[in-house]
Amino acid sequence: MYYQGLINKYRAFLPVSDKTPVITLNEGNTPLIKAEKLAEKIGADFEIYLKFDGCNPTGSFKDRGMTLAVSKAKESGSGAIICASTGNTSASAAAYGAKAGLKTFVIVPDGLVAPSKLSQALMYGAEIISVQGSFDRAFDFVKQICEKYPITLVNSLNQNRIEGQKTGAFEIIEALDDAPDYHFVPVGNAGNMAAYWKGYKEFFDLNKSKKLPEMIGIQAKGCAPIVEGRIIENPDTLATAIRVGNPASWQSALKAKDESNGAIDCVSDEEIISAYKLIASSEGVFAEPSSASSVAGMIKLKNQIKSGSKVICVLTGNGLKDSDSALKFANSKIKKCPANIDEILKVMDI
Ligand code: AN7
């Protein structure tokens, strides 16, 4: 059957009616990849699955929430949407805003967004405002603007974003015929951790799964406000997508952790880069560095994972979002060579 996006697929579980205009790019339905080589390489005695949400239309999980947030904005008669962003939200908002015919404003921290993400928002036609300071400061401006002007906020404070994103859990349960035992997810603003937990609980309550996973959120060490229990004024990590010092869904993430008997932990930039390279080289899965924090967290905590269990690591964004990091950290290097067959064969060393 022709797949028409997650609102059409999961309509019964989402706050939509026949009157809601469905603004979709056919998001969702992303691959769940069994990572056997990765499991072997790290010596895991459990099953690892990568939920590759970087395969969404704009290359990140944000599309799951944006289809609903923008559809509802359109339904309410709004003429414009706005968000602050470390990059992926802006790309997604701009794409769905374009499709809906809504004016889209994005405020980003200057110099701290991967250029490919900005190039997306530019191509989709958003108004990009780049301000000095962190994501958190950009987000403060956006909240002030939304208090005064009739512009719809599409950051994850907008509950429709969470509702859309919970469908990732539905897809995992359908693919595995049950919930997994552990669910690792990168944490920035913490909306995705809250959304997945909501999705798992809803399908459990409907008897579509027999268990609930332990939710394990992973922050970057240089920016781990929830782990440290304090706002981080000057976050520092190369995982720019999760460089958030004061997460909007802080309390919801703590609730997900407590209710699921899970954890919120952090990993260093070195651990993130190591996982980033490992999933690409062992599984052929290219995710952006921030996304790889879920895998880095799983590796860090692997001795606490029960043998034989099923483990999900969400890969939230596509590796193509940040080709600068790939070119910088890849073990392989490009070899320049004169245009001559003998020289090429010499380099090939065969
Ligand atoms: C690849 O785009 O916050 O914990 O403004 O891009 O739900 O915030 C991005 C977040 C993980 C964290 N992985 O998710 C933004 C933004 C990637 C991301 C997260 C983000 P949340």
Side-chain angles (χ1 to χ4, degrees):
M1 209 180 87
Y2 177 46
Y3 180 80
Q4 291 178 76
L6 59 83
I7 293 181
N8 286 312
K9 171 129 195 234
Y10 294 113
R11 171 172 286 281
F13 312 102
L14 296 170
V16 291
S17 71
D18 294 347
K19 292 187 195 68
T20 312
V22 177
I23 311 298
T24 182
L25 294 167
N26 295 7
E27 60 296 306
N29 198 21
T30 56
L32 186 69
I33 303 163
K34 190 165 185 189
E36 286 174 325
K37 276 183 68 191
L38 173 64
E40 195 185 308
K41 283 218 162 127
I42 65 166
D45 59 357
F46 46 82
E47 292 176 21
I48 303 168
Y49 295 86
L50 306 173
K51 179 62 171 166
F52 194 12
D53 251 358
C55 289
N56 274 299
T58 77
S60 87
F61 74 101
K62 303 285 182 184
D63 296 345
R64 291 184 182 278
M66 210 54 78
T67 181
L68 192 63
V70 173
S71 296
K72 295 297 283 184
K74 192 79 181 163
E75 182 178 9
S76 73
S78 175
I81 57 175
I82 189 168
C83 64
S85 181
T86 59
N88 282 325
T89 302
S90 68
S92 188
Y96 287 84
K99 180 111 189 193
L102 297 177
K103 176 98 189 148
T104 304
F105 299 97
V106 304
I107 305 188
V108 296
D110 197 48
L112 293 170
V113 176
S116 301
K117 298 176 185 178
L118 294 175
S119 73
Q120 289 181 283
L122 286 171
M123 281 297 289
Y124 298 132
E127 191 78 62
I128 304 180
I129 301 151
S130 191
V131 297
Q132 286 296 312
S134 64
F135 164 85
D136 303 278
R137 186 191 273 182
F139 193 28
D140 279 343
F141 287 126
V142 165
K143 285 186 279 192
Q144 283 176 45
I145 293 164
C146 287
E147 274 169 24
K148 289 219 182 86
Y149 299 91
I151 304 177
T152 305
L153 175 80
V154 294
N155 280 103
S156 57
L157 275 185
N158 180 329
Q159 192 59 27
N160 291 315
R161 283 274 314 279
I162 306 290
E163 289 292 317
Q165 284 171 215
K166 76 185 179 188
T167 60
F170 296 170
E171 290 176 13
I172 290 169
I173 289 170
E174 285 171 353
L176 299 179
D177 263 331
D178 201 350
D181 299 287
Y182 302 88
H183 180 97
F184 285 84
V185 61
V187 170
N189 258 308
N192 211 27
M193 180 166 178
Y196 265 102
W197 181 235
K198 188 165 198 287
Y200 281 124
K201 283 197 297 186
E202 285 186 13
F203 262 26
F204 178 79
D205 288 343
L206 292 167
N207 286 324
K208 289 177 183 283
S209 65
K210 290 179 278 302
K211 59 188 170 192
L212 287 163
E214 289 184 26
M215 298 295 296
I216 303 169
I218 303 294
Q219 300 195 296
K221 204 170 236 161
C223 181
I226 304 181
V227 176
E228 294 182 26
R230 64 183 178 100
I231 293 169
I232 305 294
E233 298 287 350
N234 295 305
D236 180 25
T237 170
L238 56 74
T240 52
I242 54 170
R243 204 174 179 283
V244 178
N246 185 13
S249 297
W250 190 320
Q251 293 312 319
S252 308
L254 283 178
K255 201 164 154 243
K257 178 200 90 154
D258 291 340
E259 287 179 359
S260 73
N261 194 26
I264 298 181
D265 207 328
C266 60
V267 288
S268 67
D269 282 3
E270 292 71 33
E271 290 170 304
I272 289 173
I273 291 304
S274 163
Y276 170 61
K277 297 202 292 192
L278 190 58
I279 49 178
S281 63
S282 66
E283 295 294 338
V285 174
F286 186 25
E288 67 173 291
S290 302
S291 293
S293 62
S294 61
V295 174
M298 181 269 297
I299 293 172
K300 179 179 175 186
L301 301 175
K302 74 177 192 307
N303 293 336
Q304 294 171 41
I305 295 174
K306 291 193 194 79
S307 91
S309 54
K310 287 192 170 137
V311 178
I312 298 287
C313 294
V314 184
L315 297 176
T316 42
N318 200 297
L320 294 170
K321 291 273 195 175
D322 184 6
S323 52
D324 287 353
S325 289
L327 292 167
K328 185 166 169 196
F329 295 110
N331 291 335
S332 308
K333 292 286 172 249
I334 297 166
K335 293 166 185 161
K336 283 212 177 180
C337 182
N340 169 305
I341 188 72
D342 294 326
E343 296 287 344
I344 291 171
L345 287 171
K346 216 188 282 170
V347 172
M348 289 171 72
D349 195 23
I350 48 173

